[in-house]
Amino acid sequence: GGPRKMADVVANLIARHGYAEQQGLDARTSAWQRVAGSDLSEQTRVGNLKRGVLEIFVGNSVAMQELTFQKRQLLKQLLQELPDQKIVDIRFRFGAID
């Protein structure tokens, strides 16, 4: 075929980026559920990964305390589960988990 319209090329790139981002979120969510275990993962929601910092939203203070206590081990396990994601830290934040 001939040359493609710039708008089509840009739309395709945006769609691919969104798809790749969703795949990354799905992979992080699955890994988080395995690493945190069912009790803690049910009280949390995986957020964005920005500059290597994975954001985890936590629904209550008891879970926040437990996660903070286990942070080093959780990070170590996530690095093993998701080596290509380049996670360097986890940031826990209070927020909606549904």
Side-chain angles (χ1 to χ4, degrees):
R4 295 172 51 191
K5 290 182 183 176
M6 182 59 81
D8 292 342
V9 172
V10 171
N12 190 7
L13 285 172
I14 290 171
R16 275 196 214 163
H17 179 70
Y19 178 70
E21 190 148 324
Q22 185 61 47
Q23 277 188 314
L25 177 61
D26 290 347
R28 289 189 298 273
T29 299
S30 294
W32 175 251
Q33 289 170 343
R34 287 189 300 274
V35 166
S38 60
D39 289 344
L40 285 173
S41 66
E42 288 175 5
Q43 300 175 59
T44 59
R45 177 176 57 85
V46 176
N48 294 324
L49 176 63
K50 295 180 187 172
R51 296 185 190 107
V53 179
L54 180 61
E55 192 172 48
I56 302 290
F57 292 97
V58 184
N60 65 66
S61 59
V62 174
M64 177 72 82
Q65 187 173 13
E66 182 65 26
L67 289 165
T68 302
F69 181 72
Q70 294 184 27
K71 182 176 178 176
R72 281 188 178 181
Q73 183 63 29
L74 292 168
L75 179 59
K76 183 178 177 182
Q77 290 177 294
L78 279 174
L79 291 172
Q80 291 173 347
E81 293 267 340
L82 302 166
D84 59 322
Q85 299 269 328
K86 297 179 174 60
I87 300 170
V88 296
D89 197 11
I90 304 171
R91 178 172 294 140
F92 300 114
R93 302 179 70 181
F94 284 111
I97 59 167
D98 37 25

